[in-house]
Amino acid sequence: MSALHVRPTEAELAEFRERVRAHIAEHAPPFEAREGHRAPENGEQEALLRTWFASLFDAGFVGADWPVEYGGRADHHPLHDRIVSEEILRARAPRPVDQVNLAAHVLLHFGSDEQKSALLPPIRSSEHVWCQLLSEPDAGSDIAAVRCKGTQRPDGSWVIDGQKTWITDGHWADMGLALIRTDPTSSRHRGLSAFIVPLASPGIEIRPIRTINEAIEVNEVFFDDVTIPPDSLIGEPGQGWSIIMTGLDFERFGIGGNVILLELLIDDLVTVARHGRIDDMPALQHADVRHQVAELAVEVEVAKAFIDDHVERLVAGNEQTGDGSIAKLSFAETYHRVSAYGAQLSTMVCTVAADPDVALAKQRLKECWLWSRAYTVSGGSSEMMRNILAKRRLLLPTH
């Protein structure tokens, strides 16, 4: 995202936005995206999702920031990415898989020429969906506490043993980006290496975890003498921590960039408050409800303002340390507060049973609330984000 890129005019951005909207209208799958239900529920949905994601790459709306030789666009500008994200979210169309973005940027920045040539085209065609194999039992968001081990054989191949957990999309992903401890004498972030792991490899067992909203989004993944070839290693042995941290910076800003989801949440909250009734009057006419909705709407605007400011800094080449963590933290915590209040209000109001808009808004708020804690944990918990900001942004002492 170079500052040397010429900023498009407002007319050019408006024309680009119209092209994105037209593409979504023509190619998006015939079902609405649901929070906490992003993974396909059957083979038909999976085929539709893969076709949809591939169409976004083909049209130059996703992956446009890649180098041109790998499919990117020479006229790409960071504001294009913002528009694509906004329009997909506003259309309630399925969003591209976050883990694919993480894997692509890791490969582009740290992969060998051979790895890029072999693995980037299947990402663009959606032949390969990726997951990230980071979290482990008893470690939570502390991904430095990796125990899953990798041992190199004399022929250069690696054998992986251990367990990963809370692996988003693992049950339908084709490839995994894994953080493995390759130095048994090391601890914490030292001695870790990053690997490409085909999930169809012998010795891998995937066990889906059903979430509180009765969906399968995350999984346990077990490795039992899983052998992968020498060229599965990304970068050098022991470089895994820096590789994954660089990749997660992209993912954390991607999560924070979903602030349009917050606007949609507010829309649903207002729908319920305006049409639901408490004590035989619209809920929004009650002062406490009106004040709470207003406060949450202000929080959403604050989160959105930070993202807008950060995008402008990216355009100017002035991004600051920790911006990705702030974006992720701001989005995740605001999402939880808005959806929690929306779910609570939905149980308090009386609505006309035949009003489908209100019923759908209440369903969305409930599903968002049930999924909201996942956002405060995935990609690094809110506590970890605060720690990162304390160390990197505020330069506070670590002891």
Side-chain angles (χ1 to χ4, degrees), residues 263-344:
E263 294 183 2
L264 296 176
L265 271 178
I266 289 292
D267 289 344
D268 284 334
L269 178 58
V270 170
T271 295
V272 172
R274 181 170 289 155
H275 298 285
R277 303 181 73 83
I278 298 176
D279 296 334
D280 205 31
M281 61 186 292
L284 202 56
Q285 292 185 15
H286 290 264
D288 58 335
V289 174
R290 187 167 60 252
H291 292 164
Q292 186 64 46
V293 171
E295 286 182 7
L296 292 171
V298 169
E299 286 193 43
V300 167
E301 289 304 312
V302 169
K304 187 171 181 292
F306 174 81
I307 299 299
D308 289 340
D309 183 58
H310 180 51
V311 170
E312 291 301 322
R313 290 201 300 275
L314 281 172
V315 172
N318 294 326
E319 63 266 35
Q320 298 179 24
T321 300
D323 275 359
S325 295
I326 295 175
K328 198 273 183 184
L329 181 64
S330 178
F331 167 77
E333 293 296 326
T334 305
Y335 182 102
H336 172 68
R337 284 191 288 270
V338 175
S339 61
Y341 181 73
Q344 177 187 8

Side-chain angles (χ1 to χ4, degrees), residues 167-236:
I167 306 304
T168 303
D169 294 316
H171 60 298
W172 71 292
D174 308 282
M175 308 292 289
L177 177 65
L179 187 63
I180 305 296
R181 189 165 299 283
T182 51
D183 180 356
T185 66
S186 66
S187 63
R188 302 299 299 162
H189 58 274
R190 299 177 181 84
L192 300 174
S193 302
F195 288 92
I196 301 157
V197 181
L199 294 183
S201 302
I204 293 181
E205 180 185 0
I206 299 173
R207 299 179 189 173
I209 301 172
R210 189 168 293 276
T211 59
I212 193 173
N213 55 7
E214 290 300 315
I216 295 175
E217 293 284 308
V218 294
N219 307 263
E220 293 180 287
V221 180
F222 297 85
F223 302 89
D224 184 8
D225 285 335
V226 176
T227 301
I228 54 178
D231 59 3
S232 299
L233 177 69
I234 301 175
E236 300 295 328

